[in-house]
Amino acid sequence: IRDRASEVIFRLPSTAQVGERIGVYITAGSSTDGEELAIRTTAASNDTINGVDHDTNDWSRLFIQGEVLIFKCIVANTDWIVEYDGRISCFCKTYDDTGLSVTTTATTPSLTAAVDTGDVFTADKFVIRRAGNYQFNCYFLTGATVQDVQFSACFIRKNPGGTPVSIATDYQHSTRANGRVYHNTVIVKDCADGDEYDVQLSVSNTNSNYTGGSTEDENTTIHFVLQEIL
């Protein structure tokens, strides 16, 4: 299947004998949200995929070139199982290349995608293209010394503007020397199609800033990563 200009629903047949199979293969992927191939059973049939009715709700969606699914009928005209799951995990790694300076006001970094399998990155945020479990990881290194008893923080937000779903903070205490601070925050979320996630950074004093690198490598100080868990 290729050349979709909008969402297409692929429904499993309502007539099938036990042991019969049907497959679908994406020969050309779609980089545009809203042009996915939705997998469902026949409308109003109460047929199942892996024991769950998918007449109206997607079993999943395909949109990456090379994805393939094979279904096998296990109860005539009624029930299917996924015999081969060849979906490809969405994966996106982004970094800040602007030399960002963060102050006491929470700041959204200007990010660039180094890798974007599934085309889930747009306008400094991740847009979920199929429901499921996703891992989000933000890691960064302060670009300057964090002063004694000051802090820096990272917020991963669902639907930007909303309440953070994961927070990483680090304080410099009087028992240790001032210095640069490394952060890492990881969260796994059950996401719905269309959910959006971004990241914000904040510090308690202007000396705790971040300085983004000009290239994506191990020395880049801000990374924001998405990994789909299939």
Side-chain angles (χ1 to χ4, degrees), residues 17 55-56 65 73 83 85 103 132 140 144 198 201 204-205:
Q17 299 303 309
D55 292 4
T56 57
Q65 182 177 356
C73 180
E83 187 174 54
D85 185 351
T103 62
F140 56 91
D198 75 348
L201 309 173
S204 62
N205 74 311

Side-chain angles (χ1 to χ4, degrees), residues 100-108 142 145-147 149-155 169 200-210:
L100 178 69
S101 180
V102 178
T103 62
T104 55
T105 301
T107 302
T108 301
T142 57
T145 295
V146 179
Q147 301 299 314
V149 303
Q150 300 296 329
F151 74 87
S152 53
C154 166
F155 309 86
T169 61
Q200 283 198 322
L201 309 173
S202 181
V203 293
S204 62
N205 74 311
T206 55
N207 288 327
S208 310
N209 64 4
Y210 312 91

Side-chain angles (χ1 to χ4, degrees), residues 14 16-17 41 59 77 108 133 149 172 178 190 193 199 202:
S14 58
Q17 299 303 309
T41 51
W59 175 79
N77 309 324
T108 301
N133 292 319
V149 303
Q172 286 286 31
N178 298 335
D190 183 6
D193 174 47
V199 64
S202 181

Side-chain angles (χ1 to χ4, degrees), residues 13-88:
S14 58
T15 302
Q17 299 303 309
V18 173
E20 290 186 331
R21 296 169 172 82
I22 186 169
V24 58
Y25 175 70
I26 302 299
T27 60
S30 170
S31 61
T32 303
D33 184 34
E35 295 182 359
E36 295 81 16
L37 182 74
I39 309 297
R40 301 182 189 177
T41 51
T42 301
S45 68
N46 295 320
D47 293 353
T48 68
I49 299 175
N50 291 348
V52 179
D53 186 346
H54 285 284
D55 292 4
T56 57
N57 298 318
D58 300 343
W59 175 79
S60 189
R61 294 183 167 206
L62 305 181
F63 48 87
I64 301 174
Q65 182 177 356
E67 290 190 303
V68 59
L69 293 170
I70 298 175
F71 298 89
K72 179 181 178 180
C73 180
I74 59 170
V75 176
N77 309 324
T78 304
D79 297 329
W80 298 83
I81 60 170
V82 180
E83 187 174 54
Y84 178 78
D85 185 351
R87 290 175 297 169
I88 298 170

Side-chain angles (χ1 to χ4, degrees), residues 115-195:
V115 180
D116 188 7
T117 302
D119 297 288
V120 295
F121 178 70
T122 181
D124 298 323
K125 61 181 181 291
F126 297 132
V127 179
I128 303 302
R129 298 186 64 185
R130 61 182 163 210
N133 292 319
Y134 291 79
Q135 177 176 292
F136 300 88
N137 185 3
C138 180
Y139 53 102
F140 56 91
L141 179 69
T142 57
T145 295
V146 179
Q147 301 299 314
D148 184 29
V149 303
Q150 300 296 329
F151 74 87
S152 53
C154 166
F155 309 86
I156 296 176
R157 301 185 302 169
K158 177 182 177 181
N159 298 327
T163 303
V165 296
S166 180
I167 300 173
T169 61
D170 196 280
Y171 287 79
Q172 286 286 31
H173 299 286
S174 58
T175 56
R176 65 191 222 195
N178 298 335
R180 300 176 72 187
V181 176
Y182 174 81
H183 295 264
N184 187 55
T185 180
V186 179
I187 187 169
V188 175
K189 294 288 292 180
D190 183 6
C191 301
D193 174 47
D195 283 351

